[in-house]
Amino acid sequence: MANVKCNHCHLEFDEKVMIKEGDLNFCCKGCQGVFHILKDDGLDSFYEKLGNKTIAPPIETNDDIERFDTKSFEDTFIKTTNDGYRQIDLIIEGIHCAACVWLNEKVLFETDGIISADINFTNNKAKIIWDEEKIKLSEIILKIRSIGYNAYAYDATVADEQAVKAKRDYFIRMMVAVFASVNIMMLGVAKYTGFFTGIDDEIKEYIHLGEFIFSTPVLFYSGWIFFRGAYFGLKNRILNMDFLVSSGATFTYIYSLFILFGGKGESYFDSVTMIITFVLVGKYLEVIGKKSAVDTLDKIKSSIPLEATVVEDGIKKAIALDNIKVGDVVEIRSGEKVCIDGKIISGEGTFDESSLTGESLPIFKKQGDVLYSGTINNDSLIRYEVTKTYKDSTLNSIVTLLEDSLSSKPEIEYKANEISKGFTLTIISLSILTFIVWYFFGIDLGFDYDNTNHFEKSFIVAISVIVIACPCALALATPIASLIGISELAKKGLLFKEAKFIETMAKADTLVMDKTGTITKGELKVKKARILDNNIHKLNLMYSLLDSSTHPISKSVKKYLANKYSNLELKNIYDVKSVQAKGVVGKYKNIEDKTFHLLGGNIELLKENRINYNFDSSSSVYIFAINRKVIATFELEDEIREDAKDLIDSIKQSGLNIVMLTGDNESVAKKVAAKVGIKSVISGIDPIGKANYIKKLKSEGKTVVMAGDGINDSVALASSDLSIAMGNSADITISVSDIVLLNSSLSSLKYAFIISKRTYKFIKQNLLLSLIYNSITIPLAMAGYVIPLVAALSMSLSSLLVVANSMRIKLKN
């Protein structure tokens, strides 16, 4: 077979492997793909410039693309949302600034079939939701690759390795720039000293040559990331911050080359070097600042072991967490961490749950009790049965929640992005206008460069306008503050499902609180009991009905009976039904097939079933009746949380209105409200009534935050602008709420308002600083008072100022 020439790379290849397409011949799919990309983008004139020269064929980057659509990949990495869409977490390689994030999000948003795409600037993690009927995951990956980035499924270990690699590359580029800058500064000392003491033209030419040698690697190696970002921005019709940096440095470099090779005037190779160096150093310090903010997330991640000891047929094996299944038996020794949620089947001992709840005292666990991932076994050998997979375990859910919150954006950030969209185009226009005014009208406001000609002055002033403008500070204003705020909230035991909830909480004017389990401990104790009939059979029926309910009152009465009577037995009751905010009813048949109608709850339940019984009490009550006859009454009281009064006082001082909603009777509700200082009390209300009350507040223009137990109050929580689930147990109801309290301390809720308000305040400060910076420095540059070197330094300092200001969120917390 004869050799033929490839229409792309012009290399000869064996006809046996040829890819034929009409009159076109390609040696590989890579050449074929690039040929069509260039043609579709109107860049096929490249082949005219190439002439008869040959080039290396492209490296195949899509040979693994089909694996993204395989079943095994789907089972491992892809989730299904409540709306039936597909969701995946990806790591996007090549992101180095907020503009890169914006570029990727813009391209993905405009892709048909993609519902949402949120990228976390701190770790380059993208959460993408798409409609599988319109687009495949492999097509999304190819879209990302087409704009110069790469993407792969998020894996914590691989992501860390890539982050270290990227940071090392960034550091090397920065150090090359710093080394060259130091040497250029030394040459600059000689050059500028010569202006005052006299310098030969030949020596000055050698100095220009030295500056050229040092500035070239800085521009084309250290500054490569800016050229790359600018190229892909232009390819997608976007003018970004990289375009400002690269164009400013390039124009200055070209002008300096003109001076080096015989033109009149002064070269500005030193400005080229400093522009790249200052921006690189600023961005590197920016990365360091962001890293300190995500230390909390890293600390939580480190609490998860990599493998666990599984016992199977008496044999112990160390198995990776992803391979452990529900039903496996795991063994943990003293001092080891629980890796996956489960239930104890052998042994008992104390556990340190501070990583979840913040509670410093150890919790005693026995057979049948639930263990949560991330907690530590203090003192004994325990075996437990796994009840959740690693992906669904408590601590992994918390880590996922934190990462998702860091990738989401507050509403104010979307507004800032809208402002910044036309920023670069505006700056380029102002720069061109500045050059025209200076060059053609000869405006001079008093600033003068020594030994400069008219064109040079106009050119340098225009370059300064490009370099000094900083869209990066505007882009950083919200995400860096949100990141630090989310991290600080996590330290206080608060998990925000999305960063946008910081803004909602900061703007809230009404706090609605459930009573039981929120203001009170939710640990009701029987203070007074009247057993009207001590028949053991009737007591067994009461005990069985109590056992069928998970309500705190039922649990407390059941515990009281178990302690008082040692011989109680559970009976098989049926037709058990919960009556919202009132109690439980059920039935029992004895061996004689006689039916007993059982009822247990408050006085409202008795009235509903036409049982006349007078019982007044200022406490919570539980009344048990069989066949419409009252057998026993119980009066219970719930202890108020120690920090409830402190929270209420703090909320009042911040100007929020506080309302207590409860299904309990009026006297109990008012008694609790009086102790903690709440004036607005709505009592005797069922869950639907709570939700309707919150809707009424919202219709009046109120921004409502509700705190409840996350289960019984789910309807009301869903109706509020912001819902908070109290962490009364470690089995956190993440799906119910917008914010989760990992502990039962109301101090955490107090800090939620304090830190949210501080974070939102600093976001607005950052935006104001960015706008003030640009509104002052750009006119100064246009007037000719700023040279490019100072402009580059000023640009970097503006970004660092935003980062430093955001770090102040950590103060007083």
Side-chain angles (χ1 to χ4, degrees), residues 665-701:
N665 64 65
E666 185 178 359
S667 59
V668 173
K670 287 188 174 180
K671 184 177 178 181
V672 172
K675 288 183 179 179
V676 296
I678 297 177
K679 293 182 179 179
S680 299
V681 181
I682 309 295
S683 59
I685 189 170
D686 62 22
I688 301 300
K690 289 182 180 181
N692 289 334
Y693 180 79
I694 288 175
K695 289 176 183 176
K696 176 176 172 291
L697 289 175
K698 289 174 67 177
S699 68
E700 295 171 356

Side-chain angles (χ1 to χ4, degrees), residues 21 65 119 162 177 201 248-249 254 321 324 361 505 527 555 560 595 644 684 713 750 808:
E21 186 180 313
I65 203 67
I119 301 173
Q162 292 293 335
D201 289 340
I254 293 171
L321 300 190
I324 296 177
L361 295 175
M505 179 161 268
K527 297 296 184 182
K555 287 183 176 181
Y560 172 82
T595 301
D713 298 311
K750 179 178 80 171
R808 293 171 55 215

